[in-house]
Amino acid sequence: MTHCDILIIGAGPAGMAAALAAAPSGASIAIVDDNPVPGGQIWRDSPNANVPVAAQRMRSTLAACANVRIHSGARVISAPAPQTLLLEDAEHGWSLQWKTLILCTGARELLLPFPGWTLPGVTGAGGLQALIKSGLPVAGERIVVAGSGPLLLAAAASAHKAGAKVVRVAEQAGLGAVLGFASRLAGSPGKALQALTLMHPQYRTASHVIAVLGQGRVESVQLQQGSRRVEIACDRLACGFGLVPNTQLGQLLGCGLTPTGLVVDDWQATSQPHIYAAGECTGVGGSERALVQGRIAGLAAVGDTAAAQALWPERSRWQAFAQQLGRSFALAPQLKKLPQADTLVCRCEDVPYAAVRACAGWTDAKLHTRCGMGACQGRICGTAMQFLHGWEQPVPRNPLAPARIGTLAAIPLKGE
């Protein structure tokens, strides 16, 4: 078993900011992240990625901190004992005991089922960005981007830069909501400039996907565009219906939860002693909000409350931006009508929508159809069914992820 003063789960903007804020204290800090290098999804590195200078600087500064250990390519398997996590990487499993824990577990994409969504060529909007950064060749492809929120424009820009032809960006929010959000950007010049840079001539509001058509892969996409339906020939569809906070580890540890993420107080402390949380796991709000939350959590964790409190106004500004973002791009009720009777809702276990829509809840659906019992353990279909039917998922149990036998053998025995 290894030990540290502060354990940070996640090396995205919030996790790196927390570590850099806490490092001058001299505390021993460990960061665990499942990516090859720090940066999270938004600053994902690869040969085709353009990582911002600020992110590169944070990564270099972290690497130079003698009291910070970074465990990249590692993930949390379980919480086998108080203030102890069981971890696993490609080579081994081990237990790590902490005094203070900072959860920066980020968010994942919300994927909604609709006819044809399992065809090859359909990805998440963020997923398409990650694939392009990893080297997926899309030059010459016709791509439709659909869903809601600023991520659509970012995905379209990534595809365009990689040589694809973006034939439509379909935003489900209405024109009034989008213009209202745009008007709020006047208070954030950097965001306004970014939005103008990303704007695309094929951007349409009040437009959402109905179905994907094709034999063996995507050939066209049907869209509801205002009061009419249109069909657009394309080679790929990237859907982004927003993000869902990754709260499973926090829930497993007993942290309180709201509909938007883990509960935190002014110091980013959760409802559990010695556990803080920052970034998207406390509510989706973007990298600027994650950075300042991470700094507050790191400073509070080492007792520098004066420096942490000085950051509260900045956090309030980005929190207000996040709330406006959520209101402007809230998903419309008609998206709940997308799946048809034969639409697969659980891709892992091939469960059609007809098999689950009459169930009383998530547990009932799992017991009678195996929905959510496959490889993703309900992370995709469970979240979709929560949106479609309001079904709450139970608190996660140990282990959080499948693990090797050798890793499970690293669980400390009582008294060890």
Side-chain angles (χ1 to χ4, degrees):
M1 179 183 294
T2 58
H3 307 264
C4 67
D5 294 323
I6 300 175
L7 172 59
I8 299 172
I9 306 298
M16 288 200 290
L20 288 172
S25 70
S28 62
I29 300 170
I31 305 175
V32 173
D33 190 73
D34 56 2
N35 288 305
V37 292
Q41 297 302 316
I42 191 168
W43 293 334
R44 177 191 286 262
D45 206 349
S46 69
N48 293 332
N50 184 19
V51 180
V53 173
Q56 295 180 35
R57 190 179 300 123
M58 290 178 71
R59 190 188 299 168
S60 299
T61 307
L62 270 181
C65 292
N67 59 327
V68 177
R69 289 174 290 155
I70 301 176
H71 301 280
S72 296
R75 59 179 180 167
V76 177
I77 299 300
S78 69
Q83 296 186 280
T84 303
L85 292 180
L86 179 64
L87 308 170
E88 180 184 83
D89 64 13
E91 298 177 351
H92 73 302
W94 75 103
S95 293
L96 200 160
Q97 194 170 56
W98 47 270
K99 295 178 180 175
T100 299
L101 179 66
I102 303 178
L103 301 173
C104 303
T105 47
R108 62 186 186 278
E109 286 194 274
L110 170 63
L111 301 178
L112 297 180
F114 52 82
W117 78 296
T118 56
L119 276 174
V122 180
T123 67
L128 176 63
Q129 283 189 301
L131 288 169
I132 290 174
K133 289 179 181 178
S134 299
L136 177 73
V138 296
E141 286 191 354
R142 300 162 299 172
I143 296 180
V144 171
V145 183
S148 195
L151 180 59
L152 303 187
L153 289 172
S158 297
H160 175 72
K161 187 177 179 181
K165 182 179 181 182
V166 178
V167 293
R168 182 57 47 88
V169 181
E171 167 59 59
Q172 61 90 40
L175 179 61
V178 174
L179 290 177
F181 177 75
S183 68
R184 295 293 297 268
L185 293 180
S188 303
K191 288 288 184 184
L193 178 62
Q194 184 183 31
L196 288 174
T197 304
L198 295 176
M199 207 59 205
H200 195 278
Q202 288 297 322
Y203 186 80
R204 300 289 187 274
T205 58
S207 180
H208 67 264
V209 64
I210 298 174
V212 173
L213 306 177
Q215 296 296 319
R217 66 163 296 112
V218 175
E219 295 176 2
S220 65
V221 174
Q222 289 184 341
L223 298 171
Q224 183 73 40
Q225 193 166 293
S227 59
R228 63 192 181 96
R229 293 191 176 192
V230 298
E231 183 170 334
I232 299 176
C234 62
D235 306 300
R236 191 177 298 277
L237 169 67
C239 276
F241 292 104
L243 300 175
V244 181
N246 282 325
T247 59
Q248 286 82 7
L249 178 56
Q251 290 179 267
L252 178 69
L253 296 171
C255 300
L257 188 69
T258 71
T260 57
L262 296 173
V263 175
V264 290
D265 65 11
D266 289 341
W267 307 103
Q268 297 298 136
T270 70
S271 59
Q272 290 295 313
H274 311 298
I275 301 180
Y276 296 78
E280 308 286 73
C281 65
T282 68
V284 175
S287 59
E288 293 86 355
R289 174 179 171 275
L291 284 167
V292 68
Q293 281 193 341
R295 291 200 296 271
I296 292 172
L299 291 167
V302 296
D304 193 348
T305 53
Q309 191 167 5
L311 294 170
W312 288 2
E314 181 181 349
R315 181 182 56 191
S316 296
R317 183 161 65 90
W318 289 116
Q319 186 65 32
F321 175 82
Q323 291 168 350
Q324 181 63 39
L325 184 73
R327 287 192 295 269
S328 299
F329 296 100
L331 297 184
Q334 59 261 35
L335 295 179
K336 296 183 179 183
K337 300 177 181 177
L338 290 180
Q340 303 302 305
D342 60 348
T343 302
L344 293 181
V345 292
C346 177
R347 300 182 300 186
C348 301
E349 296 291 333
D350 289 340
V351 180
Y353 186 54
V356 298
R357 62 183 173 186
C359 291
W362 180 241
T363 301
D364 189 34
K366 290 180 72 173
L367 289 173
H368 289 93
T369 71
R370 291 193 56 78
C371 188
M373 301 286 279
C376 86
Q377 289 291 286
R379 285 180 173 80
I380 303 298
C381 57
T383 309
M385 296 307 290
Q386 189 167 8
F387 171 75
L388 294 174
H389 291 289
W391 291 351
E392 294 294 334
Q393 293 182 270
V395 174
R397 295 181 298 180
N398 284 318
L400 280 175
R404 296 188 297 267
I405 292 294
T407 297
L408 298 177
I411 295 176
L413 301 175
K414 283 187 178 180
E416 186 176 342

